[in-house]
Amino acid sequence: MPAVRIKICGITRVEDALAAAAAGADAIGMVFYPASPRAVTAEQARAIVAALPPFVTSVGLFVDMPAAELAAILDVVPLDLLQFHGDETPDACSGHGRPYIKALRVRPGDDVAARVREFPDASGVLLDTYVPGIPGGTGEAFDWNLVPAELDKPVILAGGLTPENVGLAVAQVRPYAVDVSGGVEASKGIKDHDKVRAFIDAARAAC
């Protein structure tokens, strides 16, 4: 199977971003959601993006942020890709001058394919675990059998991934990419560099 792409999310420090890039991450994610313990300011994010080497994609995660606030962040932080993790409509995700991915929280009974079709302009969809009241970063995996074999968009698999289970996830789901945050942390918002390397190595070995 093609090489899986890897995103390390919840980055709050330059040194963690550089460690992820050095270990082979394709993308790093930063959380612009004040309620998250991994939230960053625009100034923090700008410093992180400025430190990234070439060909590492910078992703900003947003949860139902008003368009004016999002625009103010984009004026400061040159993000490559936007990730919408709330109840945003397709119109709310478009029109920001950046490609976007839409996160969908998966639970039994969902018609995942139909939900994906609601976002025709998305560059991809991120499938995460549904936990009531928590838009992401739950640290819990969902039943990967709920992921349809064929979807109209590239699939980024998230939710409870760790160095120990990411190889199985890649082999079973065969996603375009995998996304991890809590599974490679020393504490919330602080990455364990050994876990980051182990995660990336395990994901790549499964291909």
Side-chain angles (χ1 to χ4, degrees), residues 4-7 156-157 161 166 169-170 175-180 199 203:
V4 67
R5 281 74 167 181
I6 299 163
K7 173 170 164 276
I156 301 104
L157 184 66
L161 296 179
V166 69
V170 169
Y176 173 82
V178 289
D179 186 306
V180 66
F199 183 91

Side-chain angles (χ1 to χ4, degrees), residues 8 80 137 167 184:
I8 307 298
D80 297 315
V184 293

Side-chain angles (χ1 to χ4, degrees), residues 3-207:
V4 67
R5 281 74 167 181
I6 299 163
K7 173 170 164 276
I8 307 298
C9 199
I11 295 286
T12 64
R13 307 188 302 171
V14 167
E15 56 263 44
D16 291 347
L18 293 177
D26 300 283
I28 63 101
M30 295 162 291
V31 178
F32 296 90
Y33 178 50
S36 170
R38 304 175 181 95
V40 293
T41 65
E43 289 71 24
Q44 283 176 291
R46 181 170 58 183
I48 291 168
V49 172
L52 289 175
F55 308 123
V56 177
T57 300
S58 60
V59 185
L61 188 157
F62 302 90
V63 181
D64 298 319
M65 179 175 284
E69 290 182 31
L70 198 159
I73 289 172
L74 294 180
D75 283 342
V76 176
V77 188
L79 295 169
D80 297 315
L81 181 69
L82 309 182
Q83 177 176 326
F84 292 103
H85 243 278
D87 296 319
E88 297 90 358
T89 64
D91 286 345
C93 297
S94 301
H96 301 289
R98 306 286 195 287
Y100 78 88
I101 57 178
K102 183 67 180 79
L104 303 174
R105 296 183 290 157
V106 179
R107 53 182 162 178
D110 279 354
D111 186 340
V112 176
R115 294 180 66 195
V116 169
R117 287 194 294 271
E118 294 175 8
F119 296 89
D121 295 334
S123 295
V125 292
L126 183 145
L127 302 183
D128 201 354
T129 305
Y130 178 84
V131 175
I134 303 177
T138 65
E140 298 182 22
F142 65 93
D143 182 358
W144 301 326
N145 291 311
L146 296 174
V147 181
E150 297 292 335
L151 285 174
D152 296 335
K153 299 287 183 183
V155 169
I156 301 104
L157 184 66
L161 296 179
T162 67
E164 291 73 33
N165 69 7
V166 69
L168 178 61
V170 169
Q172 179 175 328
V173 180
R174 303 174 73 87
Y176 173 82
V178 289
D179 186 306
V180 66
S181 184
V184 293
E185 285 182 332
S187 59
K188 290 187 184 298
I190 306 299
K191 299 308 180 198
D192 180 314
H193 297 180
D194 289 336
K195 289 182 179 179
V196 169
R197 285 190 292 270
F199 183 91
I200 292 172
D201 289 347
R204 292 267 157 77
C207 298

